[in-house]
């Protein structure tokens, strides 16, 4: 070696025959999307930790602490407090409580940090980690969607109309 050659098998980015391999575009897009989602989750965790003692706002957070995985927040706030508690209880039973989710997110953040600080960086291992987190998040959202839809399906017609009216008023008022 003359000191300028790459000591890794295959030389400078190529395979053993000297051919250069390119990462497919879809892998790059998947990595970028997964990284964005995971950074968003990490931001939520950091925000939750930093705002732990902040006063809670609105019936969906102050009454029962419904997770957003159940449904978008306006859809949850339109329920009355007993329905919110019922949805939150069903979600916690199926998806696990806040502490379990917090522990999983801490472990993810630790793993993310390990990957980012590794030298050399292993993009395949990083992609596997991101895909695992994407599946975990998707599974939690699927549980929330199922619980939300089943709850609406069990409501008597009059209660569903009252819910629709509350939702309409909330959306019009911007609250």
């Amino acid at each position: 070696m003359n000191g300028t050659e790459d000591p890794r098998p295959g030389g400078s980015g190529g395979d053993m025959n000297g051919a250069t391999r390119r990462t497919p575009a879809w892998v790059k897009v998947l990595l970028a999307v997964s990284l964005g989602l995971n950074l968003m989750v990490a931001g939520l965790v950091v925000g939750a930790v930093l705002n732990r003692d902040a006063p809670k706002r609105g019936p969906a957070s102050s009454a029962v602490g419904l997770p957003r995985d159940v449904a978008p927040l306006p859809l949850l706030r339109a329920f009355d407090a007993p329905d919110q508690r019922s949805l939150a209880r069903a979600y916690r039973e199926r998806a696990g409580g806040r502490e379990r989710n917090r522990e999983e997110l801490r472990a993810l953040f630790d793993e993310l940090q390990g990957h980012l600080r590794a030298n050399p960086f292993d993009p395949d291992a990083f992609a596997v980690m991101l895909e695992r987190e994407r599946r975990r998040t998707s599974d939690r959202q699927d549980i929330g969607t199922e619980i939300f839809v089943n709850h609406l399906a069990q409501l008597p017609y009059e209660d569903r109309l009252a819910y629709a009216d509350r939702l309409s008023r909330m959306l019009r008022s911007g609250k």
Side-chain angles (χ1 to χ4, degrees):
M1 285 194 170
N2 64 14
T4 61
E5 295 175 1
D6 189 339
R8 293 176 291 184
S12 58
D15 61 17
M16 292 296 234
N17 299 323
T20 302
R21 292 183 303 170
R22 292 182 46 97
T23 303
W26 68 269
V27 172
K28 291 178 182 178
V29 169
L30 177 64
L31 284 172
V33 169
S34 294
L35 178 60
L37 288 172
N38 283 290
L39 290 174
M40 185 172 65
V41 169
L44 290 172
V45 171
V46 170
V49 169
L50 293 176
N51 290 317
R52 186 179 339 188
D53 299 322
K56 305 297 183 217
R57 297 174 305 275
S61 60
S62 62
V64 293
L66 276 166
R68 291 178 186 227
D69 289 339
V70 175
L73 203 51
L75 296 177
L76 298 174
R77 286 185 175 170
F79 282 115
D80 57 20
D83 283 334
Q84 289 180 14
R85 282 190 288 276
S86 174
L87 286 165
R89 185 173 35 259
Y91 183 79
R92 281 190 303 273
E93 288 171 3
R94 295 263 317 272
R98 285 185 188 140
E99 188 56 36
R100 180 176 132 200
N101 188 45
R102 226 178 263 133
E103 289 169 7
E104 290 172 356
L105 290 172
R106 280 187 197 117
L108 168 73
F109 186 72
D110 291 344
E111 186 178 357
L112 179 120
Q113 285 290 315
H115 285 292
L116 293 175
R117 294 175 188 284
N119 191 16
F121 177 73
D122 184 349
D124 294 332
F126 192 72
V128 167
M129 179 207 61
L130 292 176
E131 176 58 22
R132 192 176 63 243
E133 173 55 19
R134 187 201 61 75
R135 279 194 312 268
R136 187 187 79 85
T137 301
S138 178
D139 290 347
R140 291 176 66 84
Q141 289 173 336
D142 290 346
I143 290 168
T145 298
E146 181 182 331
I147 289 168
F148 179 68
V149 170
N150 288 341
H151 185 79
L152 284 173
Q154 293 174 3
L155 285 179
Y157 177 70
E158 295 77 18
D159 292 351
R160 206 169 58 251
L161 283 179
Y163 169 78
D165 290 343
R166 285 191 305 272
L167 180 61
S168 181
R169 280 193 304 275
M170 284 177 54
L171 293 174
R172 272 188 263 127
S173 71
K175 293 183 181 180

